[in-house]
Amino acid sequence: MGEITREQVEEIVRSKFLVADSQMNMFSQEFRILDLNCTDKFADLARTLEGGRYVCRLLERDGDRYIQIQKFTPPKPGRILGSSMTPRILFVVVCAFVMIDGYYRTVQTNQITPLGDPIQMAVIYTIALLGILGVHEMGHLIAAKIHRLKTTWPFFIPGIPIIGIPTLGAFIQSSGLTINRKILFDVAVAGPLAGAVVAVIVVLIGAWTAPVIDEGAASMLESQGVLSEFQFGESILMHGSLELFGKSSSGVVILTPILWASWIGFLITFLNLLPAWQLDGGHMARTILGSSAHRYATYASIGVLVLLNYWVMAILILALSWRNPAATPLDDVSPLPQNRKVIYLGVVVLAVVCAPIPAGILP
């Protein structure tokens, strides 16, 4: 749809809603409507007007509902993020970093116990880790497609291989307007749920294939500096997987590249599910708690990260949340459906079982 006139805007609104009265000024049009259950009709209006370069909002004042409409000029994408080559280049860089990380970790593990060819293991590690992250982002894309929300392709974020983690995850940008709480929730929840399924498959394979050495040999390797204790916390899902195959009670489990991929996947899932800022969990919390309580949830999430000793992430979320605290849907009046609230309880449980629990807490 091309640009439409203000008279056409009024005609479209009156064709969809029972309009009690309206007013027009230089910058906006406002309609007081009598429709109470208008979630779907407003979503249809928002999509129609967006095509004509107008943005509308559903507001509630003194018990009455209003539709406010203004001219909308889509922001021009930046030269870097707007380029179709950027996500491709980032993906190649991340693949290279993950391969390097997997190769190095396999070489290290081979010094302790034979694991396999470093290049072959690096390929398996890359498929496992990028499979978790890729399916996560695919979940977002599919949910956005279902709700007719325009998005970019995923931007994978390079990390620091060998001494850190090779990727910090990925993100997509919405190039359309988020219409209501239901859409915001659905797009946010789809990614972590999809990625978590793959992470569980990876950790089960990793736990099944992980070599175990007796404690005497482990102590000797530690004294030689070949083996070191894992200090970054273990999720309940990883701990349970090792217990499932009887690995934790039979000696010292060697952290293979596959187990490391699942650990990164659980960590990124946990971080994304925090009810903070504009993380996936932050979007979900915003739809349920509202803007004010969401701000406190962000501070609580920062406190959790500090307790888990993830200071860098805590500081980053604090800094970013001051500038742009939360996404606000065009219809912030219609409540989130009850079944989404039930799903969110499952999301909270998922965040807990993915969290890196400090050593010594789990049995």
Side-chain angles (χ1 to χ4, degrees):
M1 177 185 292
E3 292 194 30
I4 56 179
T5 65
R6 302 181 80 179
E7 289 74 18
Q8 289 174 315
V9 167
E10 180 168 358
E11 183 179 336
I12 292 171
V13 173
R14 290 185 179 276
S15 69
K16 296 178 181 294
F17 297 90
L18 296 174
V19 178
D21 54 65
S22 63
Q23 59 180 1
M24 182 184 302
N25 58 40
M26 185 179 299
F27 301 105
S28 67
Q29 296 168 267
E30 191 169 270
F31 302 86
R32 183 167 66 89
I33 61 172
L34 301 178
D35 309 66
L36 296 179
N37 186 15
C38 59
T39 305
D40 293 336
K41 287 194 291 186
F42 179 82
D44 183 56
L45 174 68
R47 293 187 181 102
T48 300
L49 294 183
E50 184 180 3
R53 298 197 174 183
Y54 283 87
V55 60
C56 59
R57 295 187 182 277
L58 183 62
L59 308 173
E60 195 167 61
R61 295 194 299 263
D62 301 325
D64 290 326
R65 292 192 172 185
Y66 297 84
I67 294 176
Q68 188 181 79
I69 301 174
Q70 294 176 306
K71 191 68 176 175
F72 171 65
T73 302
K76 293 182 178 180
R79 181 174 297 180
I80 296 177
L81 292 182
S83 171
S84 61
M85 289 302 297
T86 300
R88 296 180 173 92
I89 293 172
L90 287 175
F91 180 73
V92 171
V93 171
V94 167
C95 282
F97 280 14
V98 175
M99 282 288 294
I100 292 169
D101 193 69
Y103 183 92
Y104 174 79
R105 294 184 185 281
T106 304
V107 170
Q108 277 193 319
T109 305
N110 281 340
Q111 296 178 27
I112 303 169
T113 182
L115 189 63
D117 179 71
I119 294 180
Q120 291 179 355
M121 290 304 300
V123 171
I124 295 172
Y125 170 64
T126 301
I127 293 172
L129 181 52
L130 294 187
I132 295 170
L133 301 181
V135 170
H136 178 122
E137 296 307 318
M138 189 60 65
H140 287 314
L141 290 173
I142 292 174
K145 184 74 172 178
I146 291 172
H147 287 293
R148 292 183 282 170
L149 180 65
K150 301 174 184 177
T151 65
T152 63
W153 283 103
F155 292 87
F156 284 81
I157 309 171
I160 304 175
I162 302 176
I163 62 173
I165 58 178
T167 174
L168 302 178
F171 68 94
I172 60 173
Q173 284 190 318
S174 173
S175 53
L177 300 170
T178 303
I179 296 173
N180 54 43
R181 298 183 186 187
K182 177 184 173 182
I183 294 175
L184 184 60
F185 182 93
D186 287 356
V187 175
V189 77
L193 292 184
V197 171
V198 182
V200 168
I201 295 173
V202 172
V203 78
L204 288 173
I205 296 173
W208 177 47
T209 58
V212 179
I213 60 175
D214 62 69
E215 294 185 1
S219 297
M220 183 180 67
L221 291 170
E222 285 181 8
S223 64
Q224 296 173 353
V226 178
L227 180 65
S228 59
E229 186 178 354
F230 189 68
Q231 300 289 338
F232 302 107
E234 187 179 81
S235 70
I236 294 174
L237 284 172
M238 177 176 282
H239 181 79
S241 298
L242 292 171
E243 288 288 344
L244 178 65
F245 294 103
K247 297 295 179 75
S248 295
S249 57
S250 58
V252 176
V253 180
I254 303 302
L255 186 68
T256 64
I258 297 177
L259 272 180
W260 179 239
S262 68
W263 185 88
I264 295 174
F266 288 138
L267 175 65
I268 291 176
T269 300
F270 162 70
L271 293 175
N272 267 291
L273 290 178
L274 288 171
W277 180 51
Q278 295 201 42
L279 299 171
D280 294 334
H283 287 323
M284 287 181 262
R286 171 63 179 80
T287 64
I288 295 173
L289 303 176
S291 59
S292 180
H294 170 258
R295 189 177 300 110
Y296 292 109
T298 296
Y299 297 148
S301 300
I302 292 170
V304 169
L305 289 172
V306 170
L307 290 175
L308 294 175
N309 208 26
Y310 285 85
W311 285 87
V312 174
M313 189 65 183
I315 293 171
L316 180 63
I317 290 177
L318 179 62
L320 293 173
S321 63
W322 279 105
R323 182 176 179 181
N324 197 2
T328 302
L330 301 178
D331 172 7
D332 205 13
V333 174
S334 300
L336 189 69
Q338 193 66 31
N339 60 349
R340 266 60 173 190
K341 296 178 182 179
V342 174
I343 292 173
Y344 187 68
L345 294 177
V347 167
V348 173
V349 173
L350 180 61
V352 171
V353 298
C354 288
I357 308 298
I361 294 180
L362 293 176

